[in-house]
Every structure is written in C-alpha cells, then in structure tokens.
Amino acid sequence: MIVGMSGGVDSSTAAYLLKQQGYEVLGVTMGMWQEHEEEGGCGNMAAVKDASRVAEKLGIAYEVLDFRKTFRENVVEYFMDSYEKGLTPNPCIVCNRRVKWEALQEYADKVGADYIATGHYARIEKHPKTGRYAICASATETKDQTYALYRLTQQQLAKTLMPIGDYEKQEVREIAKNIDDFIAKKCDSQDICFIPDGDYTKFIQQQRATVYPSGNFVDMQGNVLGKHKGLVHYTVGQRKGLGIAFGKPMYVFGLDAEKNEVILCENEALFSHIVYATEINCMAIPKFEEGMRFQAKIRYSNKPAWCSVRMVDDDVLECTFDEPQRAITPGQALVLYDGQYVAGGGTILGTTYHKAVEK
C-alpha cells in the first residue's frame, strides 16, 4: 500500500488509519514544486520534512520521488497556457489525474503495491445501478473534495483508498493527535501549491519572462470602453481590479485572446441557463444521454443545481440548468452528480457552442 504524504494532517491521518487496519504502508512524498519552503505546499522541502517525521513516528517506510518534470509539463505549463488563451484553469483537477494518480500508480505497479491511498475528503463506492466505481460525497460537507476528483478513471478508482472520507475534519485532527500534536494542529493549505502568495499573474509573467500587452475593454456591442493591462489579469465575473471607472458596476463577461479584448457587461448578462463542456469523463454513468437529469456545479464553491444534459458533439456536453448560473467560466470544471455519486464532468467551453462544419 502506497500512501501519498504531503506532511499535512489529512494524509498523515490516512497513513495512520491504514497502518491500524493492518496494511503494509509505504509513505511517498511526490516532489513536484520545491522552490518554496512555505507550509502547506505539495511536494516542497517543508512537506518532505514533515512527512518524513510522520513516517518515522508511524514506523513505516518512506520515500521521496522526483515528479518535478511531470508536474511542470502537465500542470504548470497547462496553467500558464490556459491563462494566455483567456481561460481560467483549475490546476488541482489536472494534477489529481495526471500526476498524483497516474504517476503514483505507475510507481505502485513498479514496486508491486496493490493500492494507492490519499488524504482526500471523499469516498469511493460502486454505483448501485451501473456497478461502476464513483467518487462519493465525504462525511464532511465543508471539506468535500469530490469536485476536484471527477477526472479519475475506473482503473484508478479500483486501486485507490480514501480512508478519511468517513470522518469530519475535527475528527481527523483528533486522530492525528495519536501521531503528533504539531501535525494535528497544522493549518490547511488554501493556495495553489506552486504560487503560495496567490499572485498568479506575477508568477506567469516571471515564468514566461514577458509582460502581456494591453488591449481594449469593450462592451457587449464591441464599443471600446478603455484599456486593460493584459488578459492574464482577468477572469469571468471579475469586478474589482479593472482599473477604470465606468459610472456603474461592470463585470468581465469574457476574454477574446485572438483580439486581445476583455468584454465587459452589467451583472444581469452574467447569468445563463446553458453551459457547454468538453473533455468529458464519465464516472458513475457510462455515457450521457439526452434528457438525463443531474445536479451540477460550475465551480468548487457553488452548490449543486438541477439540470438536464445531452451530447451535442462527439465530446461536447450541453447542460441546461433549471435556474440560471452566474459567471460560467471557460476553463473551469462542470461536475455532474447523481445523488451523492459523481456522474462525471468536463472542462467548460462557455455558454455557446458552434459545431464545426466539415468542408
């Protein structure tokens, strides 16, 4: 059994619980972004120090694996590319699928481990009707992490355990006291692990060694309203930080990377019943068919809302909400729920979609 260990309370408690259950545990910290020492980052030197300390106290084997190249190619480059295209990415979702699971499972196969385990607040069960593996809601709604795990495959889920999914956060902290008071009291990480200060625009400009060109703010009719300071500074629904007064509240409606324009609107225009998504991953449901009903989220912080779905192209899902959703953001995830089970999801394209016509 391999347990991904970040040095935090959740993964440490996962390792502790699995050892208590009789598993032979190998703790692994995935070195992914080691330029910062701040507490809470994934795979930095502070995480290695704390995870090593936990492994020693638990009496389990421990290794640090170098996944920096994989992380850079699959997560950091994707993150920067997305902003340059006028999208708002969710790097944790991509990291879960491409790094934390794919790379860790490859290592597990190499050393002959039967399972991998993580400290996520979610559960894995088989859907009662389809028999497919699915991520399920955890016991603690406020820490539920199902949204960020919708891209996992059936093969990955079949070989994964999530031992803290049945516990409330405070219960996890109480269990962690059996390991170490310091670990039990550690704060949760809130930021993108490779940008601990939260200034993603500065990070992108430094990594790309460039300053992004200014362009026009335009309204919904294309009228020029002023100058923006570069596309990477903006996201759909944003009001603060526009740097210009309009005499009334104005919000970012969309980003046109080709024209280098930021489209602004009033609040009412941000609401839409329809969202399109691509890169569809089916989880509890083997395929999406017209008329199927689900509850869905267009971002992590939203509450699930009722909708109907249909496929409008080979890999494009149309989702029609009963009630309009605000600030549907290209690049974010649309995640569909069948009760407590993750049915599947995809990457948001926007509120319109035009099927390409073959010539």
Side-chain angles (χ1 to χ4, degrees), residues 107-142:
Y107 181 73
D109 292 340
K110 180 180 177 180
V111 300
D114 294 327
Y115 294 97
I116 63 174
T118 69
H120 284 91
Y121 285 91
R123 293 180 282 198
I124 300 173
E125 297 180 7
K126 285 191 173 182
H127 191 279
K129 293 183 179 179
T130 67
R132 290 169 60 88
Y133 287 103
I135 295 290
C136 298
S138 68
T140 175
E141 183 178 354
T142 56

Side-chain angles (χ1 to χ4, degrees), residues 169-235:
K169 180 69 182 193
Q170 191 53 44
E171 292 178 299
V172 169
R173 290 197 180 278
E174 287 298 319
I175 295 169
K177 290 180 181 178
N178 293 302
I179 310 168
D180 188 300
D181 279 343
F182 169 74
I183 293 296
K185 294 176 181 178
K186 280 190 72 172
C187 296
D188 295 335
S189 176
Q190 300 292 333
D191 300 309
I192 297 172
C193 67
F194 53 94
I195 312 177
D197 65 359
D199 191 345
Y200 69 88
T201 55
K202 180 180 74 174
F203 172 85
I204 295 171
Q205 291 181 148
Q206 288 176 343
Q207 291 289 315
R208 294 295 202 219
T210 187
V211 175
Y212 292 92
S214 63
N216 290 328
F217 281 124
V218 298
D219 63 19
M220 302 284 283
Q221 289 73 45
N223 300 307
V224 176
L225 303 176
K227 288 288 185 179
H228 67 69
K229 55 186 178 181
L231 284 186
V232 298
H233 293 270
Y234 307 97
T235 187

Side-chain angles (χ1 to χ4, degrees), residues 160-318:
T160 300
L161 298 179
M162 296 181 181
I164 69 168
D166 292 324
Y167 296 91
E168 297 282 349
K169 180 69 182 193
Q170 191 53 44
E171 292 178 299
V172 169
R173 290 197 180 278
E174 287 298 319
I175 295 169
K177 290 180 181 178
N178 293 302
I179 310 168
D180 188 300
D181 279 343
F182 169 74
I183 293 296
K185 294 176 181 178
K186 280 190 72 172
C187 296
D188 295 335
S189 176
Q190 300 292 333
D191 300 309
I192 297 172
C193 67
F194 53 94
I195 312 177
D197 65 359
D199 191 345
Y200 69 88
T201 55
K202 180 180 74 174
F203 172 85
I204 295 171
Q205 291 181 148
Q206 288 176 343
Q207 291 289 315
R208 294 295 202 219
T210 187
V211 175
Y212 292 92
S214 63
N216 290 328
F217 281 124
V218 298
D219 63 19
M220 302 284 283
Q221 289 73 45
N223 300 307
V224 176
L225 303 176
K227 288 288 185 179
H228 67 69
K229 55 186 178 181
L231 284 186
V232 298
H233 293 270
Y234 307 97
T235 187
V236 173
Q238 180 178 337
R239 177 185 175 187
K240 295 182 179 180
L242 298 182
I244 186 171
F246 300 99
K248 58 183 176 181
M250 295 292 282
Y251 303 82
V252 175
F253 177 81
L255 305 169
D256 189 327
E258 189 174 324
K259 296 180 179 178
N260 192 28
E261 291 180 341
V262 177
I263 305 162
L264 301 180
C265 68
E266 295 185 51
N267 187 56
E268 292 76 12
L270 288 174
F271 289 84
S272 176
H273 284 275
I274 297 177
V275 57
Y276 293 93
T278 189
E279 299 177 344
I280 303 303
N281 183 57
C282 294
M283 187 174 281
I285 305 299
K287 63 179 180 178
F288 293 111
E289 298 178 339
E290 185 167 356
M292 282 184 167
R293 296 277 292 169
F294 300 101
Q295 287 186 299
K297 296 171 68 171
I298 60 167
R299 61 179 55 85
Y300 171 76
S301 59
N302 277 33
K303 291 184 177 180
W306 281 103
C307 65
S308 300
V309 303
R310 66 177 182 131
M311 297 298 297
V312 295
D313 212 333
D314 290 341
D315 191 34
V316 178
L317 180 79
E318 179 188 80

